[in-house]
Amino acid sequence: MPGSSKIISQIKDIFQQHFGTPDLIVRSPGRINLIGEHTDYNLGFVLPAAIDKAIYIAISKRDDGEIHLYAGDLSQGFETKLSSLQASDKQWPNFILGVADQLLKAGYTIGGFNAVVMGDVPLGAGLSSSAAVECATAFALNTLFDLGLDKKTMVLFSQKAENEFVGLQCGIMDMFASMFGKKEQVIRLDCRSLDYAYMPFDTTDISILLFDTGVKHSLASSEYNLRRQECEEGVRIIQQKYPGVKSLRDADSKMVEECLAVGDDRVHKRCKFIVEEIQRLQDACTDLINHDMDSFGKKMFITHDGLSKLYEVSCPEADGLVDMVRNDEAVLGARMMGGGFGGCTINLVKKGTEDNLVDEVASQYRKQFVRELKTYAVTIEDGTSLVS
Ligand code: GLA
């Protein structure tokens, strides 16, 4: 993977300067999601994959119960004690401390540790760098202290760390993708049962390009938590007529129209999108099986429009980037990706057309939004693993 050996040698050097020789190094990747957005916390399906951009954590034991951290990309240190874990307003240590906190709360015995964290997942671009740090930490502490945790348990601890320590009520997708990613495969994850299946994603003729809006709205986390509440409110209303509906996964479009069409317009729109998106993902998986990438791509545009108009988590920059490629023959599908309010759009692009497309879109983006477009070509790679 490009860049990974350079980062590994850098992280070793930095660790050496601060703490000596690491006991181990773990790599945990960022993620993309092909389709199925905001469906994870509604217990539907998602279709993510791990990518070739990752977070690395180098770690070693300490025998004084202290935690000494260093963020290589920020050149910042942080120290605390295992016995007094608290969220820091520096933010980045929280993804590590939150995982240690979960392990302690669950009764696992861990000691103090030194850790250096760094990587090449662009921060704030919606590629789940935070989930990657959490999964890397869980994997590293599990190995270092011989806890015997399986991957699913590590994913659940990582998600809980984000929910309880960081305060974002995120679903399970990002951590699951980072931990369970597999080269050249997407993961069809059932977020209710946590059953999953790998599906080949053939990139012989297709490149996956991410266009980074460069925007990160501060309301991302409060609006995210609000969307969750709006969906829960929809479920409460549907339940009055259909008590068997425990989440939007159990509802269908008929129920949504029958129970929510008159009432809070926002709740109606949010639930309509989710119920349609869960079905759309199932249909998109059929497209994958049939190698019908044109049909798959069209669904991505429909997902974008739903995220923008019904779920209302897009932003003018992401809408603009999708509109710029909507009628371009080179692009099979495009949509905003992840939680929303900024981050990247994901584009499935015919091989050989990438350079022209990037030039065109970057110049339009500059004109329309007075911003320089950052783009990333990504490949699908393996999930969290030990480097050394
Ligand atoms: C963020 C969250 C995920 C998921 C997506 C939207 O990435 O962390 O759990 O809800 O948004 O699909």
Side-chain angles (χ1 to χ4, degrees):
M1 264 162 274
S4 57
S5 51
K6 192 169 156 218
I7 299 176
I8 294 167
S9 90
Q10 281 172 343
I11 202 170
K12 279 184 182 158
D13 285 350
I14 295 176
F15 199 95
Q16 195 68 47
Q17 284 160 30
H18 291 266
F19 310 118
T21 307
D23 292 334
L24 52 103
I25 301 176
V26 170
R27 166 189 184 274
S28 200
R31 64 100 188 89
I32 50 171
N33 184 28
L34 272 303
I35 200 160
E37 215 65 90
H38 288 272
T39 45
D40 60 354
Y41 55 83
N42 286 299
L43 306 188
F45 296 88
V46 288
L47 199 64
I51 56 172
D52 58 333
K53 300 188 183 305
I55 296 293
Y56 294 77
I57 189 164
I59 197 162
S60 69
K61 281 186 185 174
R62 296 180 64 93
D63 53 17
D64 58 0
E66 297 202 352
I67 299 178
H68 290 205
L69 307 176
Y70 190 80
D73 299 314
L74 306 173
S75 305
Q76 265 183 32
F78 181 85
E79 292 181 11
T80 187
K81 287 190 177 61
L82 204 53
S83 55
S84 57
L85 290 180
Q86 270 180 19
S88 147
D89 47 16
K90 269 191 178 165
Q91 279 299 324
W92 66 265
N94 294 340
F95 306 114
I96 302 171
L97 303 180
V99 172
D101 181 53
Q102 285 303 324
L103 292 172
L104 290 178
K105 280 186 179 147
Y108 288 93
T109 308
I110 59 171
F113 58 91
N114 302 307
V116 174
V117 64
M118 59 190 288
D120 60 357
V121 185
L123 301 180
L127 302 181
S128 297
S129 53
S130 53
V133 176
E134 286 150 355
C135 288
T137 305
F139 199 97
L141 293 176
N142 181 46
T143 315
L144 194 66
F145 295 105
D146 217 359
L147 305 180
L149 303 175
D150 63 17
K151 281 189 179 186
K152 254 184 208 170
T153 310
M154 289 191 268
V155 164
L156 289 166
F157 279 136
S158 300
Q159 183 196 9
K160 259 186 130 187
E162 181 89 27
N163 292 165
E164 292 180 6
F165 212 83
V166 181
L168 179 72
Q169 296 307 313
C170 68
I172 200 162
M173 170 171 76
D174 304 343
M175 296 80 187
F176 204 97
S178 185
M179 187 71 79
F180 280 87
K182 195 169 179 178
K183 195 171 173 60
E184 287 163 15
Q185 314 269 320
V186 291
I187 310 167
R188 180 183 181 278
L189 171 66
D190 178 336
C191 301
R192 183 167 61 188
S193 63
L194 299 189
D195 286 345
Y196 64 99
Y198 292 110
M199 301 185 70
F201 193 81
D202 185 0
T203 50
T204 321
D205 303 319
I206 293 173
S207 293
I208 304 169
L209 294 190
L210 306 180
F211 295 162
D212 190 344
T213 59
V215 176
K216 182 150 175 65
H217 287 293
S218 55
L219 27 114
S221 62
S222 59
E223 285 291 321
Y224 184 94
N225 292 348
L226 183 61
R227 290 300 173 282
R228 258 192 106 129
Q229 288 164 19
E230 289 165 343
C231 292
E232 284 160 12
E233 174 63 11
V235 170
R236 264 195 298 278
I237 298 170
I238 297 173
Q239 264 173 356
Q240 290 166 9
K241 180 106 200 246
Y242 298 98
V245 172
K246 305 279 184 253
S247 68
L248 287 178
R249 164 73 173 278
D250 305 318
D252 59 26
S253 294
K254 199 180 129 273
M255 293 175 187
V256 168
E257 290 319 306
E258 192 185 331
C259 305
L260 304 175
V262 215
D264 187 335
D265 185 41
R266 267 170 309 180
V267 171
H268 177 224
K269 286 195 291 189
R270 310 305 188 234
C271 296
K272 179 174 159 57
F273 169 75
I274 295 297
V275 166
E276 289 174 357
E277 180 73 352
I278 293 174
Q279 183 56 46
R280 197 157 32 242
L281 183 141
Q282 318 267 36
D283 299 341
C285 288
T286 309
D287 292 339
L288 270 191
I289 293 164
N290 295 336
H291 302 286
D292 188 349
M293 294 311 287
D294 285 327
S295 178
F296 188 100
K298 284 191 186 116
K299 292 186 176 62
M300 292 171 73
F301 284 117
I302 301 174
T303 288
H304 180 81
D305 295 339
L307 286 166
S308 176
K309 298 196 174 71
L310 296 174
Y311 218 65
E312 296 180 285
V313 290
S314 189
C315 60
E317 294 83 356
D319 287 345
L321 284 171
V322 169
D323 285 340
M324 286 171 207
V325 302
R326 208 180 272 275
N327 298 314
D328 195 316
E329 297 245 303
V331 181
L332 301 178
R335 62 177 197 81
M336 58 145 278
M337 189 178 71
F341 305 101
C344 288
T345 65
I346 175 168
N347 301 261
L348 299 187
V349 177
K350 287 186 189 156
K351 277 246 161 85
T353 63
E354 300 91 335
D355 291 350
N356 271 345
L357 182 77
V358 166
D359 286 350
E360 258 171 47
V361 175
S363 116
Q364 278 194 53
Y365 196 61
R366 200 174 299 125
K367 263 191 222 137
Q368 201 171 330
F369 295 103
V370 200
R371 279 176 178 278
E372 284 308 306
L373 183 69
K374 272 186 272 167
T375 64
Y376 318 108
V378 295
T379 56
I380 297 180
E381 302 293 341
D382 286 335
T384 315
S385 67
L386 207 55
V387 171
S388 64

